């Protein structure tokens, strides 16, 4: 069970990395997440059932997520719709898109090939195939993100989030950066959805409900536990935060609590993590006053 939770943590960590690109760098929450995540799974699973190789199907899922992010970005920058509302509009519309793609609210992969089958053939112990797949996937995504963010284009993207007015004053097209950011981040999120759908063995249009909480929990837990970090270390911390979050969920299950209410437990965990920095500040302030 622990190994399975770690593997799940890696796969969900990809979701956290996608959300990190907008929530932490561009400084706004993107509600498209709750649509692009199941969309990646829906496109991937449908493609596999149509005889397409799982790797190519996963890439199609990523492209679908990127398209969703692009639409949100255009609504936000060109349509001047507030980013949260733009994300909600796209998220709602994607429900119909997924129904059109799958022709059913959920679609099974029973008896169909999956991307992790390559590792299953290595006769590894149970669930180690998901751990290896997740580790390879997060390593690849982190490497690509580091490469991107340390290019001039990536630095312009970061500058847009740090100070949009300053970025615009030095000639950066901030609207373009936002569209690209939303496109790339939703592609990463869709990758997580595609891999998790293959791991679960099915796609479902309802899988996106509440996933933004899971992604935010990964980010917050990583930041709370590891404090001041370099950029690369922050990306790794997001993944570790996701693993810790999945282990906390496993602990809740082991304690015998009703799994029907996992969503509220997730929200409580996130709320506690969000309050920890404030509690630390209050404690440090109190300690400083007592010393004086």
């Amino acid at each position: 069970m622990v190994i399975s939770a770690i593997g799940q943590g890696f796969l969900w960590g990809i979701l956290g990395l996608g959300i990190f690109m907008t929530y932490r760098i561009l400084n706004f929450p993107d509600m498209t997440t709750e649509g692009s995540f199941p969309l990646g799974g829906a496109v991937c699973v449908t493609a596999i059932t149509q005889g397409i190789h799982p790797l190519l199907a996963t890439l199609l899922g990523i492209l679908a997520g990127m398209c969703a992010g692009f639409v949100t970005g255009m609504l936000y920058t060109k349509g001047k719709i507030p980013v949260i509302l733009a994300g909600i509009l796209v998220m709602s519309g994607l429900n119909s898109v997924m129904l059109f793609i799958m022709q059913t609210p959920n679609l099974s992969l029973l008896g169909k090939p999956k991307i992790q089958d390559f590792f299953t053939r290595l006769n590894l112990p149970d669930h180690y195939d998901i751990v290896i797949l997740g580790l390879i996937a997060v390593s690849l995504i982190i490497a690509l993100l580091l490469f991107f963010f340390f290019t001039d284009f990536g630095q312009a993207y970061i500058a847009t989030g740090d100070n949009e007015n300053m970025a615009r004053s030095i000639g950066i097209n901030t609207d373009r950066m936002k569209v690209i950011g939303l496109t790339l981040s939703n592609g990463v999120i869709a990758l997580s959805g595609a891999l998790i759908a293959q791991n679960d063995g099915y796609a479902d249009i309802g899988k996106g409900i509440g996933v933004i909480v899971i992604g935010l929990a990964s980010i917050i837990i990583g930041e709370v536990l590891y404090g001041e970090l370099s950029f690369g270390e922050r990306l790794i911390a997001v993944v570790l935060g996701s693993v810790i979050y999945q282990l906390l969920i496993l602990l809740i299950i082991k304690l015998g609590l009703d799994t029907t209410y996992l969503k509220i437990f997730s929200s409580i965990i996130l709320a506690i993590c969000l309050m920890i920095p404030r509690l630390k500040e209050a404690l440090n302030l109190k300690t400083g006053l007592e010393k004086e």
Side-chain angles (χ1 to χ4, degrees), residues 4 11-12 18 38 40 46 53-54 78 86 89 100-101 111 127 160 169 172 199 202 207 212 223 225 235 242 255 275:
S4 176
L11 298 183
W12 284 102
T46 303
H53 190 279
K78 304 302 181 185
L89 289 173
F100 174 77
I101 291 169
H127 307 301
T160 299
S169 71
I172 296 173
N199 182 47
Y202 70 98
K207 267 192 173 182
I212 195 168
E223 291 177 344
L225 291 180
L235 296 178
S242 175
L255 290 174
M275 289 189 292

Side-chain angles (χ1 to χ4, degrees), residues 218-230 233-244 276 280:
S218 303
I219 296 170
I220 302 302
I221 291 172
E223 291 177 344
V224 166
L225 291 180
Y226 299 102
E228 295 296 326
L229 299 169
S230 68
E233 290 169 340
R234 288 180 73 186
L235 296 178
I236 295 171
V238 171
V239 177
L240 294 177
S242 175
V243 172
I244 292 168
I276 287 175
K280 282 184 176 179

Side-chain angles (χ1 to χ4, degrees), residues 40-50 57 102 107-109 112 193-194 197-198 201-203:
V43 170
C44 177
V45 169
T46 303
I48 291 173
T49 59
Q50 296 300 314
M102 295 194 298
L107 188 61
S108 174
L109 275 176
K112 301 294 182 181
Q198 290 178 75
Y202 70 98

Side-chain angles (χ1 to χ4, degrees), residues 39 42-43 90 92-103:
L39 176 67
V43 170
V90 174
S92 300
L94 287 177
N95 277 317
S96 296
V97 172
M98 286 184 282
L99 279 172
F100 174 77
I101 291 169
M102 295 194 298
Q103 297 295 306

Side-chain angles (χ1 to χ4, degrees), residues 59-259:
L59 293 176
L60 291 174
I62 294 171
L63 288 174
M66 292 176 72
C67 290
F70 177 79
V71 173
T72 299
M74 295 303 288
L75 289 174
Y76 175 41
T77 58
K78 304 302 181 185
K80 304 304 178 185
I81 298 174
V83 66
I84 293 179
L85 181 55
I88 291 172
L89 289 173
V90 174
M91 173 189 71
S92 300
L94 287 177
N95 277 317
S96 296
V97 172
M98 286 184 282
L99 279 172
F100 174 77
I101 291 169
M102 295 194 298
Q103 297 295 306
T104 178
N106 50 68
L107 188 61
S108 174
L109 275 176
L110 185 64
K112 301 294 182 181
K114 297 181 277 291
I115 199 167
Q116 64 265 31
D117 289 349
F118 173 80
F119 303 102
T120 305
R121 297 191 198 102
L122 300 177
N123 295 319
L124 298 169
D126 288 346
H127 307 301
Y128 274 83
D129 53 338
I130 299 302
V131 173
I132 294 173
L133 174 62
L135 192 56
I136 291 172
V138 295
S139 298
L140 182 61
I141 294 299
I142 289 174
L144 290 173
L145 289 179
L146 287 175
F147 174 79
F148 169 70
F149 286 122
F150 284 100
T151 61
D152 291 341
F153 194 87
Q155 290 297 304
Y157 176 75
I158 293 173
T160 299
D162 285 342
N163 190 323
E164 184 176 346
N165 291 329
M166 181 207 69
R168 197 180 295 115
S169 71
I170 60 176
I172 296 173
N173 187 330
T174 55
D175 280 354
R176 181 186 300 169
M177 292 299 156
K178 291 173 185 177
V179 172
I180 290 171
L182 286 162
T183 301
L184 293 178
S185 67
N186 280 284
V188 174
I189 290 164
L191 169 61
S192 177
L195 293 177
I196 288 173
Q198 290 178 75
N199 182 47
D200 293 345
Y202 70 98
D204 191 296
I205 64 171
K207 267 192 173 182
I209 299 173
V211 295
I212 195 168
V213 174
I214 299 174
L216 291 175
S218 303
I219 296 170
I220 302 302
I221 291 172
E223 291 177 344
V224 166
L225 291 180
Y226 299 102
E228 295 296 326
L229 299 169
S230 68
F231 187 79
E233 290 169 340
R234 288 180 73 186
L235 296 178
I236 295 171
V238 171
V239 177
L240 294 177
S242 175
V243 172
I244 292 168
Y245 174 82
Q246 292 300 320
L247 291 173
L248 288 173
I249 295 298
L250 177 62
L251 177 62
I252 289 171
I253 294 171
K254 288 290 187 181
L255 290 174
L257 299 175
D258 192 341
T259 55

